[in-house]
Each structure stands twice: as C-alpha cells, then as structure tokens.
Amino acid sequence: MFMGPPGSGKGTQAQGLVRSKGWVQLSTGDLFRDHVGRGTALGVNAKRYMDKGEYVPDEITIDMVRQRLRDIPHATRIVFDGFPRTVAQADALDRLLAEFGRVVDGVIVLDVPRDELLGRLVKRGKEQGRSDDTPEVIGKRLDVYEQQTRPVIDHYAREQLVRKVDGVGAVEEIARRLAAAAEA
Ligand code: ADP
C-alpha cells in the first residue's frame, strides 16, 4: 500500500511494481478519473469534489473499491495507491480484506517536503492539464491530506506495517529504496 501526499509519487511507484512484478494497481484517483472521462453518474458526482480538492465521500469511494476488488483474482497481489485516505476508509478496508481473505503486507509512506510537492504538482498541471493541479486547489489538497490522511498512517503504524521512504530523488533511486524498505 502506498501512502503519501499528493505529488509524492505514489502512482509512479505503483506503476513500477505493476511493470516489474505483475501486480495490479488499485488507484481510487485513476478510477474516479476514468468515471469522469466516461461521464458516468459516479464521475459527475466525484468531479464536484475533486475539482475543489476535497475527498469524495467515503461511502461512494468504498463502494467503488469493493466492486473493483471483486474483479481481481485472489492470487493477484494488489498495490493500493490513494486508498485508504480516511480513518473510515481504513476501517472499511480492514473489513473488505477480511471478506475477500486478504491481508495488508506493508504500507510505504513516501516522504516529500511541501515545497517540493507544490513544485511537482504545478509542473504536472501544466504538462497534463489535470483540473485539480491548479495552485489554489493544490494547497487545499495538501491541507486535506494532513488533516484526514495523516491519521491513517497511525492506524497501520499500530500494526507495525509502516515503512517511511525518502521520496526525493530519481524515480529508479526511490524504487530501490522501496525495495530495500519492503525487505527490512
Ligand atoms: P493525488 O494523490 O495527487 O491527490 P489522486 O489521483 O490520488 O491524486 O486523487 C485525486 C482526487 O480524487 C482527490 O483529490 C480526491 O478528490 C479524489 N480521491 C482519490 N482517492 C480518494 C479516496 N480514497 N477518497 C476520497 N477521494 C479520493
């Protein structure tokens, strides 16, 4: 499971594991953007929150994850990226995983200073045109992360699952740090 603030590189590192190990990525941000792109009712609803830098309500998010989990074969390992993001989501995930006979093997927290995050997100906004990568919304997203997602790290720290990794540097270098942390 990857945790870390917006722009910390969760998606990039998750995609690396998909390529190198054949794991499946479960990114709630990507799932929401897919719905937005297809113009589904869920997408229209989610976009209202995303564009403000707020979290989509837990119930909607958890339902979407439950449906995605159903489609992933039991033997396939999953990289969670961007979920869970609230304590309620973490509690729901514990129940879902029990239901599906799965366990959390580890939680990697990517550590990146706020100034670096701001720079990365503004750059991504210019390059990819993501509607939530604007200077006003970025600040809000970083604040929401501190308030709502920081406590989720404690949820997993209690189970000794958390490994902190320095998320500043080249993508491959960080991938090596991750691999080392996963073995530690
Ligand atoms: P980032 O981590 O850079 O913010 P994501 O693609 O993971 O990017 O998420 C983009 C937006 O999608 C979030 O700001 C939020 O509105 C919504 N979102 C993604 N994951 C969740 C989640 N687990 N719970 C609620 N909202 C979410």
Side-chain angles (χ1 to χ4, degrees), residues 6-7 10 28-30 32-33 49-50 53-56 61 82-83 85 89 121 124 130 132 141:
K10 303 180 293 289
T28 40
D30 285 351
F32 283 132
R33 274 185 294 278
Y49 299 95
M50 294 167 80
E54 291 168 7
Y55 288 164
V56 178
T61 307
F83 183 90
R85 260 173 147 104
Q89 289 178 15
L121 292 164
R124 185 172 73 183
R130 242 177 80 165
D132 58 350
R141 282 159 62 208

Side-chain angles (χ1 to χ4, degrees), residues 24-97:
V24 162
Q25 180 184 9
L26 200 163
S27 159
T28 40
D30 285 351
L31 291 173
F32 283 132
R33 274 185 294 278
D34 180 58
H35 275 279
V36 172
R38 288 186 288 126
T40 68
L42 175 70
V44 172
N45 193 8
K47 189 170 176 9
R48 294 188 294 142
Y49 299 95
M50 294 167 80
D51 284 351
K52 284 190 282 192
E54 291 168 7
Y55 288 164
V56 178
D58 285 332
E59 212 188 295
I60 298 175
T61 307
I62 292 162
D63 266 0
M64 183 177 72
V65 169
R66 178 185 286 111
Q67 282 178 32
R68 179 72 186 102
L69 277 175
R70 279 205 195 108
D71 294 337
I72 303 175
H74 188 261
T76 304
R77 291 183 76 170
I78 303 174
V79 200
F80 283 94
D81 148 24
F83 183 90
R85 260 173 147 104
T86 65
V87 171
Q89 289 178 15
D91 289 337
L93 183 62
D94 286 343
R95 290 191 293 272
L96 277 178
L97 292 180

